[in-house]
Amino acid sequence: MKRVFALLLTLIVIFTTFGCSPAIIDIPISNSTVIIKTPEASNVTEAPVVTVMPVVTLLPTLEIVPTQTPTIKPTATALPTVKPTEKPTSTPAATEETRTSAPTSSDGKKYIALTFDDGPSTRATGRILDALEKNHAKATFFVVGMSDPPNKDSESLKAKKYALMQRAVSLGCEIGNHTMEHKHLPRLSESEIRQQVEGVNEIVKDATGSSTKLVRPPYGDKSQVVYDAVDYPLILWSIDTLDWDTRNADKTYDAVIDNARDGDIVLMHDLYTTTADAAERIIPKLIREGFTLVTVSELFKIKGIKLEAGKYYRNAY
Ligand SMILES: [Zn+2]
């Protein structure tokens, strides 16, 4: 009995001191199951964050894009702001060589520069050169890169134009630069203007062996950008025959003969047969009137006016 009593006593002692021992065994298991569940739960909570939310938030940012296009429009309206700058820059006297008095040449003679734009052309340039040669006179031809844009010259036409420029130079005439594509230069960037000018320079150098020294901006359009971009004097005119508009030889002839005076620069175009008709009469008539027909560079040299890059000149008065 003593042994039975002792056994019961130890069992009682064990149960009273370690009564929670069976629970101790469960707790780690239950704890481990809790630990496993929490990452799963966190994975689940992450999923909605990743899926819908960013897509929803992207849409409004896409809607912002159209609101950015109106902000581009103001930069487009910056274009018109370029135009007003053309007007003030076209009038500043600071860049123009204006002279109140017309200095007479030291030799007392009258000089005039006939200029022909937009060529060379097979229709009129050759005939004008014939008239100049016949009368021992000179003129200046402001040539373009392409006579009939957007079509480029064929090889045979290119050869003819090269021959015309070579003949002009052989007669003592001057080849000027009227830009590649006859665009409004103030509407172009500085680099585009340079390309327009240098393109013709390359052509003329290829044809005649020397590059051009003068630039005539198409339409007489100029601006500060043009002054900055063109590294040559800009040559305008003092007599506009409007030959391109009238296509009338008599009117072209009258426009020159009725207005010609010492130091003038005359604008014509060697694109029209009517201009060639007029030139055949203008050239000998001016000589009879006492004029010496010279190139633009010669005219300014005779008048003692130094031509400068980035400035424009209407006459050599
Ligand atoms: Zn022109």
Side-chain angles (χ1 to χ4, degrees):
M1 276 301 287
K2 279 183 181 179
R3 285 183 179 180
V4 173
F5 178 78
L7 183 64
L8 283 170
L9 185 67
T10 50
L11 282 171
I12 288 164
V13 170
I14 289 168
F15 277 114
T16 49
T17 52
F18 301 104
C20 59
S21 61
I24 290 170
I25 297 167
D26 285 341
I27 288 168
I29 295 166
S30 64
N31 278 348
S32 68
T33 52
V34 169
I35 289 166
I36 291 166
K37 279 180 182 176
T38 43
E40 285 173 356
S42 67
N43 284 343
V44 172
T45 53
E46 278 175 1
V49 175
V50 175
T51 53
V52 185
M53 289 301 286
V55 176
V56 174
T57 52
L58 275 174
L59 288 172
T61 57
L62 286 171
E63 286 175 1
I64 290 167
V65 174
T67 61
Q68 285 174 346
T69 48
T71 59
I72 293 166
K73 282 184 178 177
T75 58
T77 54
L79 285 172
T81 62
V82 174
K83 282 188 176 178
T85 59
E86 290 176 27
K87 289 179 181 175
T89 53
S90 64
T91 47
T95 51
E96 185 176 11
E97 292 292 316
T98 50
R99 278 169 173 71
T100 51
S101 61
T104 51
S105 308
S106 56
D107 55 10
K109 290 181 180 177
K110 294 188 291 185
Y111 295 91
I112 194 167
L114 300 185
T115 66
F116 297 91
D117 289 10
D118 299 358
S121 83
T122 53
R123 292 185 295 275
T125 310
R127 286 179 57 197
I128 293 167
L129 288 173
D130 289 343
L132 290 166
E133 184 175 22
K134 187 179 174 183
N135 293 279
H136 309 289
K138 299 175 192 174
T140 302
F141 295 85
F142 286 98
V143 301
V144 290
M146 294 182 288
S147 292
D148 305 298
N151 302 316
K152 287 188 175 178
D153 295 338
S154 64
E155 281 302 311
S156 62
L157 182 57
K158 179 183 169 185
K160 288 174 183 173
K161 290 185 174 183
Y162 271 37
L164 287 166
M165 286 191 276
Q166 288 160 2
R167 185 182 170 208
V169 170
S170 73
L171 294 176
C173 292
E174 184 169 18
I175 305 296
N177 191 324
H178 200 33
T179 74
M180 283 298 285
E181 296 170 278
H182 207 275
K183 293 183 174 178
H184 291 274
L185 298 186
R187 299 177 188 175
L188 306 181
S189 69
E190 205 170 314
S191 63
E192 287 171 332
I193 294 170
R194 289 182 193 279
Q195 285 173 11
Q196 288 288 318
V197 171
E198 292 311 315
V200 168
N201 262 349
E202 290 302 313
I203 291 172
V204 175
K205 196 188 291 181
D206 191 34
T208 69
S210 52
S211 59
T212 58
K213 296 181 178 64
L214 308 173
V215 169
R216 171 162 286 164
Y219 315 101
D221 270 3
K222 53 203 180 330
S223 68
Q224 191 59 51
V225 180
V226 178
Y227 303 143
D228 293 341
V230 178
D231 296 326
Y232 306 90
L234 298 157
I235 306 299
L236 303 183
W237 53 87
S238 52
I239 295 177
D240 189 349
T241 61
L242 297 175
D243 61 335
W244 61 272
D245 188 26
T246 66
R247 310 283 181 96
N248 182 301
D250 288 340
K251 287 183 178 177
T252 303
Y253 174 89
D254 290 343
V256 179
I257 302 304
D258 293 349
N259 299 291
R261 60 171 174 159
D262 186 33
D264 267 329
I265 298 172
V266 181
L267 173 62
M268 289 184 275
H269 299 81
D270 54 332
L271 286 180
Y272 314 110
T273 54
T274 46
T275 298
D277 294 340
E280 288 169 349
R281 294 162 53 198
I282 289 167
I283 293 166
K285 175 64 174 175
L286 286 173
I287 293 170
R288 285 198 299 276
E289 297 272 328
F291 284 96
T292 299
L293 278 61
V294 294
T295 67
V296 170
S297 288
E298 288 172 340
L299 180 67
F300 283 94
K301 192 175 181 182
I302 289 165
K303 296 294 183 184
I305 300 169
K306 191 175 182 297
L307 294 171
E308 295 178 37
K311 290 188 176 181
Y312 68 88
Y313 303 82
R314 296 187 189 280
N315 55 60
Y317 298 161

